[in-house]
Amino acid sequence: MEEVEAAYEWVEKKLVYRPPMKGWQSALKDGLLEAGVLPYNGFTLDHIYGTKIGVMLFDREGQKHSVVELLKYANSDTIVVYLYAYVHKILFTTKGRPKPKASGVIYQDADRVFHKAELVNKAMNEAHKINRVVLDNPMVGQGMGDNLMNIVVVPFPQPVGVSLLEVVGITKFDSFSEYCAGLSLSYNLTRRSQNHIIEVINSNAFFNYKYTNATAHELFNLMLDIPTNLRPRHVTSTLNLTQFCIDTVMTIWHYHGGCQVGRVVDKNYKVLGIDALRVIDGSTFLKSPGTNLQATVMMLGRYMGQRILRERDEVGEKNEKDLSVSPIEDETNLCSSFPKNKL
Ligand SMILES: Cc1cc2nc3c(=O)[nH]c(=O)nc-3n(C[C@H](O)[C@H](O)[C@H](O)COP(=O)(O)OP(=O)(O)OC[C@H]3O[C@@H](n4cnc5c(N)ncnc54)[C@H](O)[C@@H]3O)c2cc1C
């Protein structure tokens, strides 16, 4: 656990920023406290019950930062980054091995030229052909999930300033609400919304940021007219929160779980039945953790990167010898059945 915590902290130090928390977000924070989403945890990166101020990838100047910036901490002598490269297939070698071993990839560059990149040898051009599937794991793509989201738009005649997801209310019902505002439109984002969202909208703290007659139920009614999905609307939805959530459900774009630990990869994120191939991304999650899935994906990358380096140091020369098996001469290089984005 210490290593996981250290990996989180490393990412947090490099990439995340404290939001400015202006009037609109502050009113929502007070509204959440008034609605009983307690305790107030202040500014924290932890996903804990209560109301908190989270983090964002935008700095004080409004510049967005992204995970790609972490590359600057890599050892430039041992890493090559190909921009606009598209991997078409993973190469495997089976010669003299009990199970297939990943040995490289065929990728296409920005000029649409195909290359072969191998674990040891330098990349070289090669004709592109389709081969048979190496390992058909029927669990690939099974168990995929997403967080459910319901939104409530709160119109307001004055511009309230742009703000992203700064304040978060996390309830013991395993639901949480986040809030962001546009120039003249403010809205609440709620996932598996609970009653507290009604109380926040109706709170004294939020009174100055909505039309005086805009009750939560009227706003729900408004939402039912917005085509968030193709589901039928029910007349009971404005009064029945559960029905409202079913009728207006949306995705939060937190897809995960297509290559789950135990089904497609083992606990070391190694692909079951294949050597020298790991999947380290959101597809391995059994469930979407916390408010910011991306933070956990980045932590996992750092954590596993550290572990792999350490293991390589431990194995030392033995590993060197193992990697020097060249797949070039091997006629059994085959195509993978794994999804393209899991490389
Ligand atoms: C609209 C939207 C809003 C979101 N908002 C948030 C948010 O506010 N907070 C949060 O924490 N998370 C958010 N997420 C979720 C977050 O972005 C994902 O959970 C996270 O990016 C998953 O990381 P990943 O590495 O698993 O996959 P990805 O980030 O999807 O990375 C996969 C990469 O592989 C590349 N790729 C795919 N196929 C190939 C190929 N054949 N060859 C080479 N490269 C390939 C893709 O181009 C991509 O760069 C949001 C997602 C979306 C879509």
Side-chain angles (χ1 to χ4, degrees), residues 11-22 25 43 45 53-67 69 162-166 179-181 187 292 294 298:
V11 170
E12 288 157 11
K13 232 192 221 156
K14 307 289 182 211
L15 212 60
V16 297
Y17 299 86
R18 189 180 173 142
M21 278 291 289
K22 294 193 178 145
Q25 291 279 347
F43 173 70
L45 293 115
I53 301 168
V55 292
M56 52 200 286
L57 295 175
F58 287 83
D59 63 23
R60 288 274 159 166
E61 281 71 49
Q63 173 74 41
K64 189 179 180 209
H65 295 267
S66 93
V67 65
E69 291 171 38
V162 179
S163 64
L164 288 170
L165 313 171
E166 300 178 6
Y179 308 85
C180 58
Y187 55 95
N292 282 310
Q294 214 176 128
M298 289 190 262

Side-chain angles (χ1 to χ4, degrees), residues 7 18 23 101 114 164-165 193 279 299 338:
R18 189 180 173 142
K101 177 185 174 186
F114 284 102
L164 288 170
L165 313 171
S193 170
V279 176
M299 177 284 293
F338 294 98

Side-chain angles (χ1 to χ4, degrees), residues 4 24 41 60 77 81 145 159 181 194 209 223 247 261 274 290 303:
V4 169
W24 191 83
N41 295 309
R60 288 274 159 166
D77 293 334
V81 178
Q194 299 288 337
Y209 287 100
M223 284 309 303
D247 286 2
V261 174
I274 300 276
Y303 170 77

Side-chain angles (χ1 to χ4, degrees), residues 172 196 248 276 281 297:
K172 291 191 175 152
H196 79 272
T248 61
D281 65 13
V297 175

